[in-house]
Amino acid sequence: IGKKSTRLVQSVVTPRLSSRPVSSSGSRNASTLEDQVSTRIRVSALHRNHFIFGANTDVGKTVITAGLTKTSLDTNDSLNVHYIKPLQCGGSDEAFVDKYAKSSSNYHVNFDQQTLFSWDLPASPHTASRMEASPTSDQEVLDAIHLSLANITTTKKSVTWIETAGGVLSPSSASPENNCDYHSRGKTKVDTDDDTNINWGWTTQADLYQPLAELSSTVLVGDGRLGGISATLSSLESLLLRGYSIAGIVLLDTGYDNVTALREYTDRNLKFLSRDGKPLFSDPGRSIICLPELPPLPEPLEEWYESSQVKETLISFNESLDQAWLTKMNQLQSLQQHPSGKDGCWWPPVRSDTVDEEASPLTSFAENTRLSNMQKRAIERLEHNP
């Protein structure tokens, strides 16, 4: 497995980044965003960005992502649809999504997809990058996503689905450049002449993408299996504590009624998050959904995707995501217009290096409640559309 196999896959919207210089340690030097991106990420009501996290591996994340992508294409012939897979280990989730997106009549006009970094070994990214001696740093991944999103310059309405790898707290890729205090580090033997051991650090998926949390909203693919309620709620709270905006939860039916329990919990127990007495979702019946059980392998999924139950449920869910995005944009516009007024917002705990301690306090909450830098960046990038 010693060969270097990490690669960036070219797409119609993102130029190749693999020409970046390689350091003596074998890792590409992560260049700054200013060197790579000429335009900033568009944050507006017209351009939805959704991260798709899983409560665990093998919960149906790619199946559901393909369904959401297909639904976006089928229901709006003027909508540009983008799919991004930042980290891929073994196989190709992009190929799976593309296979079922092709059935849409809008596929050739309104759809593009890309995988940013991939390894051959079907394992966790931190393991695959070490085994294949192909490090990829956090900054490289974030720069690549920034570049992809910033290059979506269409004036048409668009939606971007960003599918993560594994579960919410599954490891991301490892690199000797990942050496901050919050990285998990381990000695890694690299294929070099002197057989040197060097320190390669990694962080979780949720921590990796946290800088983009306020520029997107999140769909959580829950676990519909026995024990899945706990796994889903643990993942949900991990995301909320890192500042992600959860727009909805999707499960695949496995014979247990996990969806009812999740609707009850989010309706009753998460009111503290908004500080205004409102539950996490205004309509849990539309925001937390359960899709029918998948047919047994190797039966293809065309009929499953085309079934009325799947299509109607995903259409309604996608409409709720669109409404949640509009609500998020309205909140950002309110903060932009009245940054210290009564329409302030409460933000959950984030890493200390993301908070501006000199920011003006919001008058609507305690004196030490402040806007996070994530929210400030989103406000700065907010576009006003008619």
Side-chain angles (χ1 to χ4, degrees), residues 331 334-335 338-345 362-365:
Q331 290 172 344
S334 176
L335 287 170
H338 308 287
S340 59
K342 65 178 181 179
D343 295 324
C345 68
L362 302 178
T363 59
S364 53
F365 300 126

Side-chain angles (χ1 to χ4, degrees), residues 87-109:
L87 305 175
Q88 178 72 58
C89 296
S92 175
D93 292 339
E94 176 189 338
F96 183 94
V97 171
D98 184 69
K99 174 182 177 180
Y100 293 102
K102 284 180 178 177
S103 64
S104 173
S105 59
N106 300 317
Y107 169 80
H108 293 289
V109 178

Side-chain angles (χ1 to χ4, degrees), residues 21-186:
V22 178
S23 68
S24 58
S25 64
S27 174
R28 287 181 295 275
N29 292 326
S31 53
T32 62
L33 213 76
E34 289 74 19
D35 295 333
Q36 302 257 350
V37 183
S38 58
T39 57
R40 294 188 300 180
I41 298 174
R42 301 162 69 95
V43 179
S44 76
L46 290 178
H47 303 282
R48 279 197 283 150
N49 303 317
H50 294 292
F51 274 97
I52 301 181
F53 282 93
N56 205 338
T57 189
D58 199 32
V59 293
K61 189 165 67 270
T62 303
V63 171
I64 290 169
T65 302
L68 290 169
T69 300
K70 176 176 166 53
T71 299
S72 299
L73 288 168
D74 288 342
T75 55
N76 191 338
D77 58 10
S78 64
L79 181 70
N80 283 347
V81 182
H82 312 275
Y83 169 82
I84 300 174
K85 180 74 175 184
L87 305 175
Q88 178 72 58
C89 296
S92 175
D93 292 339
E94 176 189 338
F96 183 94
V97 171
D98 184 69
K99 174 182 177 180
Y100 293 102
K102 284 180 178 177
S103 64
S104 173
S105 59
N106 300 317
Y107 169 80
H108 293 289
V109 178
N110 297 344
F111 181 62
D112 61 66
Q113 71 282 348
Q114 56 186 314
T115 301
L116 300 181
F117 300 91
S118 67
W119 297 266
D120 294 330
L121 185 68
S124 171
H126 84 296
T127 298
S129 57
R130 289 170 173 176
M131 293 292 289
E132 298 184 18
S134 300
T136 301
S137 70
D138 293 355
Q139 193 59 52
E140 283 184 283
V141 177
L142 291 174
D143 282 356
I145 296 175
H146 267 97
L147 185 60
S148 297
L149 294 177
N151 276 296
I152 299 174
T153 57
T154 176
T155 57
K156 295 171 60 177
K157 193 172 182 180
S158 70
V159 59
T160 302
W161 305 102
I162 307 171
E163 183 187 359
T164 62
V168 168
L169 298 184
S170 291
S172 58
S173 52
S175 169
E177 294 180 7
N178 293 343
N179 53 17
C180 294
D181 291 340
Y182 54 82
H183 283 107
S184 301
R185 290 186 290 275

Side-chain angles (χ1 to χ4, degrees), residues 304-337:
W304 186 84
Y305 280 120
E306 293 298 329
S307 68
S308 59
Q309 186 176 358
V310 171
K311 292 180 70 172
E312 292 171 6
T313 302
L314 285 179
I315 288 173
S316 175
F317 183 72
N318 199 28
E319 289 173 350
S320 74
L321 296 182
D322 195 27
Q323 185 58 51
W325 182 257
L326 291 176
T327 299
K328 181 182 177 73
M329 293 301 100
N330 289 336
Q331 290 172 344
L332 288 175
Q333 287 179 351
S334 176
L335 287 170
Q336 185 184 52
Q337 295 165 3

Side-chain angles (χ1 to χ4, degrees), residues 193-258:
D193 292 338
D194 58 359
D195 211 26
T196 305
N197 283 331
I198 59 176
N199 215 349
W200 287 24
W202 60 270
T203 190
T204 68
Q205 297 275 306
D207 288 320
L208 170 64
Y209 302 120
Q210 189 185 32
L212 297 171
E214 281 296 333
L215 307 179
S216 61
S217 70
T218 297
V219 173
L220 175 61
V221 178
D223 192 340
R225 299 169 295 190
L226 181 64
I229 296 173
S230 177
T232 303
L233 292 180
S234 295
S235 298
L236 175 64
E237 294 192 357
S238 292
L239 290 169
L240 291 171
L241 288 171
R242 287 166 173 79
Y244 288 89
S245 300
I246 311 301
I249 302 174
V250 189
L251 298 91
L252 290 174
D253 187 17
T254 63
Y256 300 93
D257 192 20
N258 291 359

